[in-house]
Amino acid sequence: MTLIRIEPAARLTGELTVPGDKSISHRAIMIGALARGKTTVNNFLASADCLATIDCLRKLGIRVEGRGTRVEIAGKGLTGLTKPAGPLYVGNSGTTIRLLSGILAGQNWPVEISGDDSIKKRPMGRVARPLREMGADIEGQGSRVKGQEEIYPPLKINGGNLKGINYLLPVASAQVKSAVLLAGLFAAGETSVTEKVASRDHTERMLAHFGAKISVQGPVARVQGKEEFDAADVEVPGDISSAAFFLVAGLIIPNSELRITNVGVNPTRTGIIDVLHRMGADLTVENERIDSEEPRADLTIRSSQLKAIKLDGAIIPRIIDEIPIIAVAATQAEGVTEIRGAKELRVKESDRLKTTAAELRKMGAQIEELPDGLRITGPTKLRGTMVESYGDHRIAMAAAVAGLIAEGDTVVNNTDCIETSFPGFEKLLKSLR
Ligand code: S3P
């Protein structure tokens, strides 16, 4: 098991790029596999989670050739997947299991899909319910949570003969929305998904980029089933969720200035920019351009005095993966920061409300876990100590950034998990001093 030792940093400066976007990388592989012909993906995130997606598609009969961040997928169209010899394994990747479940629901053969111990605790009823409504048979490991049936991996999916549905998403989840839209590609007629609160729309954009029959009107996305589409090359922007760790580091360490180029700035993902601006950050967004239907830009951050903020409602899905690092920023902000309406964080790679509060508290933060959020009083001087990742990449990286402003050294335990989304994180962080 690896660990990271962090010494306090006097300042951070420099220009950097972060690895490719995780959500977009998964979708490029999956949708490329369903297209007709060869798709090349550039700046692919070659991290454990996205490699799990490649591994699953290979087991489904798709040739994928990868050389680092450049990947080629020999797509075989909507009827090209073949029954795997054994169960599919997604490791730690929630996006792989949920999105792939949508695709597997459209196949005429049974398949089993599972992952590591963390995946086996992630709720799958949210994808099983709409996919069953479309006609797939899905079974998992059952339990009842507050009177409602919940299922967990391993999942047994027996699909085929799907019909289109109109689905109103009960939770703001791009993974559920995407599973339904991807299943819709195989269904008879039209499938629509309506969101009460907008979640990331990379699936909709990627399908449009490939020329699939998708339309989006306000909160409703519609896909026409059984319509083939052709391969399209994809240029993946840097992952804003990875950039977020450097944005906050540059902000809270005095005399720092960091420029992060080629970062994805899809509006469904830029909550972190809005939040940091509202907290008083000197953060500029320049050179915005669009490629592969996805906007990207260069971000410059300079250390700033921060003020506390209240976060709730529609902003939450736009910062869903950034809340642990926002909590680190809040420990240095003047006043009481409150994050509410975020109970989805309890079913991520760890219970992030609990793990963020526990580890920052060990470092001296004034942080309180609320049923649906966090309350943080700042500013507080943090102190270096031994902290845990709970096998959650975002907790490990948030703790490492907190360590940069702590008094004394911080040791983050169990940091292998960082590989799931950000290979090279430690080296990059240490190169900016
Ligand atoms: C993701 C959606 C979000 C996010 C996850 C990636 C995606 O999950 O937390 O890291 O790629 O669709 P939910 O859909 O469960 O909110």
Side-chain angles (χ1 to χ4, degrees):
M1 216 178 267
T2 53
L3 52 80
I4 296 184
R5 178 178 290 275
I6 301 282
E7 291 167 17
R11 66 197 291 242
L12 293 186
T13 52
E15 183 167 313
L16 64 146
T17 55
V18 290
D21 187 275
K22 180 154 78 75
S23 294
I24 298 174
S25 295
H26 283 299
R27 286 154 172 85
I29 300 296
M30 291 187 201
I31 297 172
L34 303 178
R36 292 180 302 199
K38 189 181 90 182
T39 285
T40 302
V41 184
N42 283 314
N43 200 32
F44 172 76
L45 173 63
S47 75
D49 273 18
C50 299
L51 294 175
T53 290
I54 291 187
D55 188 52
C56 289
L57 282 155
R58 284 191 178 135
K59 292 198 170 111
L60 292 163
I62 301 295
R63 205 162 44 92
V64 185
E65 280 170 27
R67 275 177 295 277
T69 59
R70 185 184 156 92
V71 176
E72 288 176 3
I73 308 134
K76 297 206 287 187
L78 288 176
T79 55
L81 299 185
T82 50
K83 184 174 184 307
L88 300 175
Y89 183 78
V90 305
N92 191 245
S93 178
T95 308
T96 308
I97 195 165
R98 294 211 178 103
L99 270 60
L100 213 46
S101 292
I103 293 174
L104 296 172
Q107 311 306 315
N108 293 314
W109 24 259
V111 57
E112 189 176 315
I113 187 162
S114 193
D116 68 6
D117 288 345
S118 152
I119 279 291
K120 288 182 184 153
K121 293 189 200 112
R122 313 260 323 251
M124 296 295 147
R126 52 182 63 196
V127 284
R129 280 184 282 277
L131 296 177
R132 283 174 184 153
E133 210 178 305
M134 295 176 83
D137 188 18
I138 302 188
E139 282 169 40
Q141 310 309 302
S143 77
R144 294 195 85 76
V145 178
K146 291 184 187 138
Q148 198 185 25
E149 185 216 3
E150 189 48 273
I151 60 167
Y152 301 90
L155 299 179
K156 284 193 176 128
I157 303 178
N158 203 342
N161 283 324
L162 301 185
K163 60 174 192 322
I165 58 168
N166 298 313
Y167 193 64
L168 175 65
L169 274 186
V171 274
S173 165
Q175 293 180 350
V176 179
K177 172 176 62 173
S178 301
V180 178
L181 291 174
L182 291 171
L185 296 174
F186 301 94
E190 186 183 91
T191 296
S192 78
V193 183
T194 304
E195 297 186 282
K196 291 181 228 168
V197 183
S199 65
R200 64 190 66 189
D201 64 356
H202 303 301
T203 300
E204 298 89 308
R205 287 173 188 254
M206 188 70 72
L207 285 170
H209 178 61
F210 276 79
K213 287 230 161 66
I214 172 123
S215 68
V216 180
Q217 280 166 308
V220 191
R222 294 186 176 81
V223 65
Q224 190 64 41
K226 301 188 190 287
E227 295 278 350
E228 296 284 351
F229 49 87
D230 294 325
D233 293 346
V234 178
E235 197 63 49
V236 182
D239 196 325
I240 192 167
S241 298
S242 297
F245 297 103
F246 289 89
L247 292 177
V248 171
L251 200 50
I252 60 181
I253 301 166
N255 306 312
S256 297
E257 178 170 338
L258 294 175
R259 182 173 160 84
I260 317 175
T261 57
N262 190 35
V263 180
V265 288
N266 176 317
T268 60
R269 295 284 299 282
T270 48
I272 181 70
I273 294 178
D274 299 347
V275 166
L276 295 180
H277 276 154
R278 282 173 56 200
M279 292 177 84
D282 180 352
L283 165 58
T284 55
V285 180
E286 291 165 306
N287 301 327
E288 194 168 331
R289 64 247 178 221
I290 294 184
D291 193 334
S292 312
E293 298 282 330
E294 290 282 356
R296 57 216 61 211
D298 305 329
L299 310 181
T300 303
I301 190 90
R302 295 182 190 87
S303 2
S304 313
Q305 291 292 323
L306 298 179
K307 50 183 190 287
I309 190 173
K310 303 270 182 271
L311 298 169
D312 195 357
I315 186 79
I316 299 297
R318 295 180 62 234
I319 52 170
I320 194 72
D321 291 336
E322 286 70 72
I323 290 175
I325 192 65
I326 289 173
V328 173
T331 67
Q332 303 310 303
E334 182 75 45
V336 181
T337 290
E338 226 176 68
I339 304 168
R340 306 302 300 255
K343 66 175 192 305
E344 269 296 301
L345 261 69
R346 296 205 180 275
V347 291
K348 294 291 177 189
E349 286 84 329
S350 69
D351 175 343
R352 286 185 179 156
L353 298 180
K354 187 179 262 167
T355 54
T356 302
E359 299 318 287
L360 289 179
R361 195 176 301 123
K362 282 184 195 162
M363 298 181 76
Q366 273 193 58
I367 179 164
E368 196 185 325
E369 183 186 337
L370 306 171
D372 64 341
L374 294 168
R375 184 180 295 126
I376 305 134
T377 306
T380 41
K381 183 80 200 127
L382 299 183
R383 50 176 191 271
T385 181
M386 182 97 93
V387 290
E388 299 301 323
S389 73
Y390 303 88
D392 184 334
H393 54 135
R394 300 207 195 276
I395 299 300
M397 290 186 276
V401 170
L404 294 171
I405 49 157
E407 216 168 70
D409 289 5
T410 299
V411 174
V412 187
N413 270 325
N414 188 7
T415 50
D416 290 338
C417 53
I418 292 175
E419 279 297 309
T420 62
S421 72
F422 202 152
F425 169 77
E426 182 183 4
K427 201 165 156 226
L428 186 57
L429 191 65
K430 293 187 170 166
S431 74
L432 299 167
R433 288 164 180 261

